[in-house]
Amino acid sequence: MDDLREKYLARIAEAADEAALEELRLAAVGKKGEVSLQMRELGKMSAEERQVAGPKLNALKDEINAALAAKKAALEEAALDARLQTEWLDVTLPARDRPRGTIHPVSQVTEEVTAILADMGFAVAEGPQIESDWYNFDALNIPDHHPARTEMDTFYMARADGDNRPPHVLRTHTSPVQIRSMMENGAPIRIICPGRVYRADYDQTHTPMFHQVEGLAIDKDISMANLKWVLEEFFSAFFGTAVKTRFRASHFPFTEPSAEVDIQCSFEGGQVKVGEGDGWLEVLGSGMVHPKVLQAGGIDPAEWQGFAFGMGIDRMAMLKYGIPDLRAFFDSDLRWLRHYGFSALQVPTLHGGL
Ligand code: DAH
């Protein structure tokens, strides 16, 4: 009995985990455990022997059970301690920074413009920002040496030494997408093309990269009247108030006749307010697509006609959201972005209001 006692108490003390402990329990006091087997021997003993051995065996059994229970509790406590160690958390630490972006006003306004014009049946078209001089100029009736080429402060791409083909350009306007969609889809057409354009220019209202949206509608009997209606509807929806427009005769190589469009605004107190007052602000160029442009796009000008317009998106954003300096749009100043940016959840829709 002393041997059993020493053996099991020592092993219990050393048990590494609850599984080992359970094994020891079975080996000692389980049905076929060593202590239990000894208890079965009691029946074979004389009454005197049994009186001595019985209580001793019972005491041994109790002692082992108590050791098992104590060890079990100790193991559980150690496991909890270990877990608390790994799951330790300093609740006094400041919260971790969570980067939170905003939607840039240019993106927001692009979505607004697209939502309004898509509702009128215009599909969105796109073209490359690196454009051949044919698409950017020639096809739009701006031949070589035409003053418009220099007026646009074009960025030219480099050509390899000895390559004498005309260089590609960073598109100076979204108008080349007119040609691309004519060639791709033929007439009739109703598209807009929002996108980046480039000119070597830099001041409070000019940056070397800016954004335009081009509009093009071609069908059998489209007229300036349709153009005027579309633009007036557009401006009123965009600014959320009735906006008067003024069409001024102008000249673009790719339209005939051409018109520059002003919107009504007041300049009181150094603040521009669209849709009130009797001042005017020029916001876009437009006109009836020139027959030569239709031809360049593979469309027969004897059969089809249409209007086109080109508008500055950044300009629209400045006017609508009261942003004074265009250059700040592209400085990536986080304070500016947080102030003028939009929530990603504020998706512009006509039904939700713009
Ligand atoms: N492409 C012209 C520019 O960037 C804007 C423009 C004027 C576009 C008249 C047109 C248009 O489609 O008809 O200055």
Side-chain angles (χ1 to χ4, degrees):
M1 264 188 245
D2 283 345
D3 287 351
L4 281 179
R5 185 163 171 276
E6 236 167 78
K7 176 169 121 185
Y8 280 108
L9 291 184
R11 288 195 185 170
I12 287 168
E14 280 162 18
D17 53 34
E18 289 196 38
L21 213 53
E22 176 62 8
E23 239 170 72
L24 287 170
R25 189 186 69 78
L26 290 172
V29 295
K31 262 190 192 157
K32 288 176 187 167
E34 287 192 272
V35 178
S36 310
L37 290 178
Q38 290 296 324
M39 286 180 131
R40 265 185 235 170
E41 298 294 313
L42 289 174
K44 295 177 191 159
M45 295 179 186
S46 64
E48 298 83 60
E49 280 175 327
R50 205 172 342 174
Q51 263 188 348
V52 181
K56 267 194 168 180
L57 270 175
N58 267 326
L60 176 59
K61 191 180 166 191
D62 288 347
E63 196 176 353
I64 288 175
N65 273 331
L68 284 167
K71 183 66 181 180
K72 188 168 182 233
L75 282 174
E76 277 169 0
E77 199 171 319
L80 181 62
D81 276 349
R83 199 174 139 201
L84 287 174
Q85 275 296 318
T86 60
E87 292 179 8
W88 182 83
L89 183 72
D90 184 352
V91 294
T92 67
L93 278 177
R96 231 171 264 162
D97 247 9
R98 194 142 48 97
R100 190 152 45 95
T102 58
I103 303 296
H104 195 284
V106 169
S107 304
Q108 185 79 8
V109 166
T110 302
E111 290 295 322
E112 293 175 6
V113 168
T114 304
I116 298 168
L117 291 166
D119 190 60
M120 296 186 196
F122 288 85
V124 173
E126 286 189 308
Q129 294 173 42
I130 297 175
E131 195 51 285
S132 76
D133 70 338
W134 188 80
Y135 280 106
N136 196 78
F137 295 123
D138 300 82
L140 290 162
N141 195 30
I142 313 174
D144 220 348
H145 308 301
H146 189 283
R149 290 213 183 190
T150 40
E151 274 162 27
M152 281 199 174
D153 302 307
T154 311
F155 285 114
Y156 290 90
M157 307 295 291
R159 279 273 189 212
D161 280 347
D163 185 341
N164 292 322
R165 289 173 299 166
H168 281 74
V169 300
L170 291 180
R171 69 177 180 195
T172 56
H173 49 182
T174 42
S175 302
V177 183
Q178 290 188 26
I179 305 297
R180 289 184 174 275
S181 52
M182 287 182 207
M183 293 172 80
E184 251 164 61
N185 301 312
I189 295 179
R190 221 187 285 182
I191 55 120
I192 54 168
C193 167
R196 295 185 162 180
V197 300
Y198 302 83
R199 289 180 204 177
D201 212 348
Y202 189 71
D203 61 35
Q204 189 173 347
T205 52
H206 297 91
T207 49
M209 185 281 297
F210 60 105
H211 301 81
Q212 287 188 336
V213 59
E214 193 80 12
L216 177 67
I218 291 175
D219 213 319
K220 301 262 170 172
D221 53 4
I222 286 191
S223 73
M224 290 289 274
N226 302 122
L227 170 68
K228 185 157 201 221
W229 181 84
V230 164
L231 291 179
E232 284 188 345
E233 281 293 302
F234 168 77
F235 288 124
S236 298
F238 181 78
F239 289 107
T241 173
V243 179
K244 284 194 195 130
T245 59
R246 185 171 77 171
F247 281 57
R248 275 182 296 105
S250 181
H251 174 264
F252 300 104
F254 29 90
T255 44
E256 182 57 39
S258 304
E260 277 175 305
V261 178
D262 304 338
I263 52 175
Q264 172 202 11
C265 62
S266 73
F267 296 94
E268 256 166 58
Q271 245 196 337
V272 186
K273 285 206 185 108
V274 176
E276 48 188 82
D278 44 25
W280 297 99
L281 201 67
E282 182 196 323
V283 287
L284 63 78
S286 63
M288 296 300 291
V289 181
H290 197 290
K292 282 194 179 171
V293 173
L294 292 171
Q295 248 157 7
I299 289 178
D300 181 2
E303 206 184 332
W304 303 95
Q305 62 184 31
F307 67 72
F309 63 85
M311 176 172 62
I313 290 180
D314 321 72
R315 195 84 197 286
M316 286 289 139
M318 290 170 83
L319 283 173
K320 180 164 177 179
Y321 296 110
I323 310 174
D325 193 320
L326 178 64
R327 291 168 296 195
F329 274 61
F330 311 115
D331 281 346
S332 301
D333 183 328
L334 281 177
R335 294 163 304 176
W336 189 94
L337 291 168
R338 282 192 193 115
H339 181 77
Y340 288 111
F342 292 81
S343 155
L345 300 175
Q346 261 177 287
V347 181
T349 59
L350 282 188
H351 58 269
L354 299 165

